[in-house]
Amino acid sequence: MRSHRAETFTRVIDAVFACNGGFLAAGDALTAPVGLTAAQWQVLGFLEDGPATAADVSRRRGLRRQSVQETVNRLLRNGMLDRLPNPADARAPLLSLTRRAKDALRALGAAQAQWAEDVAAEVPQEDLETTLRTLRRLREVLAQQRLP
């Protein structure tokens, strides 16, 4: 028999999965005009801070390495990424945004900001801040946990 806390946590997981599906659908709708998908946007958005490896992207975004690599391969083929030598590991090139990718991200900026304003207006600021703190804490706990 599960505790009330465990039941509530399970409902949180279900809600996060449902929100993730909604976020991906919204991301696909926002990115379609610039020829991207939400998954591609996630990778490009991470690389706005500077070059990184596919493994870095997958680890920091909490995504499967294989799916990130598939997305990276599509972005390379579409001229959105360049490979740079990695002085730390010659087998894992650094990925860098091309001018085309930077232009696409710039075009997405205004649309994403308006979408975020519209959605956030429906939720009290205090609830958003509590949700953010809670999700960050859950991510910390999950990162420390060892599964069988």
Side-chain angles (χ1 to χ4, degrees):
M1 183 172 157
R2 284 197 258 186
S3 68
H4 179 67
R5 181 179 290 237
E7 286 291 336
T8 301
F9 180 61
T10 299
R11 290 196 309 273
V12 167
I13 293 168
D14 290 341
V16 167
F17 285 159
C19 281
N20 185 57
F23 294 150
L24 290 174
D28 284 339
L30 287 167
T31 58
V34 295
L36 294 173
T37 65
Q40 291 169 335
W41 189 15
Q42 283 185 6
V43 171
L44 294 178
F46 181 86
L47 295 171
E48 278 187 297
D49 293 335
T53 65
D56 293 334
V57 174
S58 64
R59 194 172 27 258
R60 292 283 308 280
R61 289 286 197 216
L63 301 168
R64 289 182 314 118
R65 191 171 187 314
Q66 182 179 354
S67 61
V68 169
Q69 190 60 57
E70 290 169 5
T71 300
V72 163
N73 291 342
R74 282 192 302 275
L75 290 166
L76 286 164
R77 282 192 305 272
N78 294 341
M80 294 284 192
L81 293 178
D82 285 327
R83 285 188 179 107
L84 304 174
N86 182 350
D89 184 353
R91 297 169 299 152
L94 294 172
L95 302 166
S96 173
L97 299 177
T98 64
R99 169 62 40 209
R100 185 174 176 201
K102 290 175 185 175
D103 291 345
L105 289 171
R106 195 174 310 101
L108 280 169
Q112 189 277 337
Q114 186 58 58
W115 174 82
E117 282 292 335
D118 294 345
V119 173
E122 300 296 320
V123 182
Q125 180 68 23
E126 182 178 309
D127 290 355
L128 291 172
E129 291 169 5
T130 298
T131 300
L132 180 58
R133 277 194 311 277
T134 302
L135 290 173
R136 284 180 173 162
R137 179 63 185 131
L138 287 171
R139 183 165 181 173
E140 289 170 5
V141 170
L142 292 171
Q144 296 169 4
Q145 197 174 51
R146 292 200 186 272
L147 297 175

